[in-house]
Amino acid sequence: MKKFLALFAVIVFLSSCSEYQKALKSEDIAVKFVSATKMYEAKKYNKAIRLFEQIAPAYKGKPSAEKMFYIYSQSLYKTEQYYLAGYQFESFVASYPKSEKIEEASFLGAKSFSYLSPVYSLDQTDTYKAVDKLQNYIDTYPEGQNMVEANLLVKNLREKLEKKAYENAKIYNTISDYKAAIVALDNFIINFPGTPYKEKALFYKLDSAYLLAINSVPSKMKERLENAKGAYSSLIKFKADTEYKSKADDMLARIEKDLKQFSK
């Protein structure tokens, strides 16, 4: 019995392969569509894609085009070809606005772009695109079945953009461009008022203001020392028990000592 089942499986496999090869060589797009659909249903997505690529240009406008482009998009998504999947899902939404699959296609198209988002240290153009597309899904389908996941994806992507913005601002402190650091960190705090990086941003603003002040020419030192003292106050006001308290107090002591020379 086992030998019979194994033989049967081999026959089915060979028959399937033969049918697929014939479909690849066929000039009949209907034959290709039937075979591609079978490949998709058998989860042989790469084979399905190869056939869909052959017939997609000729299938536009045909009665079964909606189904074809939907499973073509799904095949690309399931093989993690996210750039192409995103493009095909968006094209599907634009072409079939009354489709019962439109919400799912809108979500998967947007989600495809979220997979293209790189680590925070790299250029975040694709992250911004993903946020815009997911937000568009959220706005269009406020009661959508994928709303929870869409909101979570947006939250994660925005956190990445926030970290990128913080690191971009902090880098000026790292390279000793203290004036630029103060401006960049101020802008970061304004743009992300609830950020978990606020304490760090306030400290590096203080550090930048302090180092700028103590290394200034005499004519600019007093004003810069006072600015640094204000940066210290902002940090302590935000979090009195900041993890940077010891370093900040040392800076304040030096600031107040140097300010004394201007009160004589």
Side-chain angles (χ1 to χ4, degrees):
M1 184 66 177
K2 288 183 178 179
K3 288 183 178 180
F4 173 76
L5 290 174
L7 179 61
F8 180 74
V10 169
I11 292 172
V12 171
F13 173 76
L14 291 175
S15 175
S16 174
C17 290
S18 176
E19 179 184 346
Y20 172 70
Q21 291 299 326
K22 287 180 180 178
L24 281 175
K25 297 174 183 178
S26 175
E27 297 294 325
D28 190 336
I29 61 174
V31 170
K32 291 180 184 291
F33 175 70
V34 170
S35 180
T37 302
K38 287 182 179 179
M39 293 297 106
Y40 174 79
E41 291 171 349
K43 299 184 179 181
K44 297 176 180 179
Y45 302 119
N46 284 313
K47 287 185 175 181
I49 289 168
R50 191 173 176 189
L51 288 166
F52 286 136
E53 287 174 342
Q54 292 182 347
I55 64 176
Y59 240 79
K60 291 181 178 179
K62 293 187 176 297
S64 54
E66 180 182 332
K67 178 181 178 181
M68 192 282 291
F69 282 108
Y70 173 75
I71 59 178
Y72 180 25
S73 302
Q74 281 281 13
S75 297
L76 291 166
Y77 181 82
K78 292 177 186 297
T79 53
E80 300 181 4
Q81 298 182 60
Y82 295 122
Y83 180 81
L84 292 174
Y87 170 79
Q88 285 297 336
F89 275 124
E90 285 192 335
S91 179
F92 178 87
V93 170
S95 300
Y96 306 102
K98 296 182 180 180
S99 172
E100 64 178 19
K101 299 290 187 180
I102 192 167
E103 182 195 334
E104 181 186 14
S106 297
F107 173 68
L108 291 178
K111 187 177 179 181
S112 294
F113 282 96
S114 75
Y115 284 116
L116 300 175
S117 172
V119 295
Y120 80 90
S121 57
L122 299 178
D123 179 80
Q124 294 299 304
T125 299
D126 285 329
T127 305
Y128 282 107
K129 286 181 182 178
V131 169
D132 287 345
K133 292 177 187 301
L134 284 162
Q135 191 61 53
N136 182 62
Y137 167 80
I138 291 168
D139 294 341
T140 305
Y141 302 99
E143 304 297 328
Q145 60 183 3
N146 298 293
M147 182 61 66
V148 173
E149 186 178 0
N151 278 313
L152 181 60
L153 287 169
V154 169
K155 177 177 178 292
N156 292 338
L157 292 169
R158 284 181 172 159
E159 286 175 354
K160 184 186 294 187
L161 292 173
E162 193 172 314
K163 185 173 184 179
K164 175 72 171 181
Y166 166 70
E167 293 293 343
N168 282 348
K170 180 190 170 188
I171 194 68
Y172 292 108
N173 173 274
T174 304
I175 63 175
S176 303
D177 187 349
Y178 301 123
K179 285 196 286 186
I182 293 167
V183 173
L185 289 162
D186 260 342
N187 288 336
F188 172 77
I189 292 167
I190 291 169
N191 292 331
F192 300 93
T195 178
Y197 300 104
K198 187 170 183 177
E199 180 183 357
K200 294 180 184 293
L202 287 168
F203 170 74
Y204 284 107
K205 179 187 173 183
L206 165 60
D207 186 61
S208 298
Y210 167 78
L211 290 169
L212 179 65
I214 65 173
N215 291 295
S216 290
V217 295
S219 62
K220 296 183 178 180
M221 185 174 287
K222 182 175 183 293
E223 180 183 359
R224 288 176 176 176
L225 286 168
E226 289 173 344
N227 289 339
K229 189 172 182 178
Y232 171 88
S233 297
S234 295
L235 172 62
I236 299 304
K237 183 179 180 180
F238 175 71
K239 191 172 184 182
D241 61 342
T242 173
E243 63 177 292
Y244 304 106
K245 184 69 163 58
S246 178
K247 291 180 180 179
D249 285 347
D250 288 344
M251 291 180 197
L252 179 63
R254 170 69 186 273
I255 291 167
E256 291 182 332
K257 177 184 174 184
D258 288 359
L259 276 172
K260 286 180 180 178
Q261 65 181 299
F262 296 101
S263 61
K264 295 177 181 179

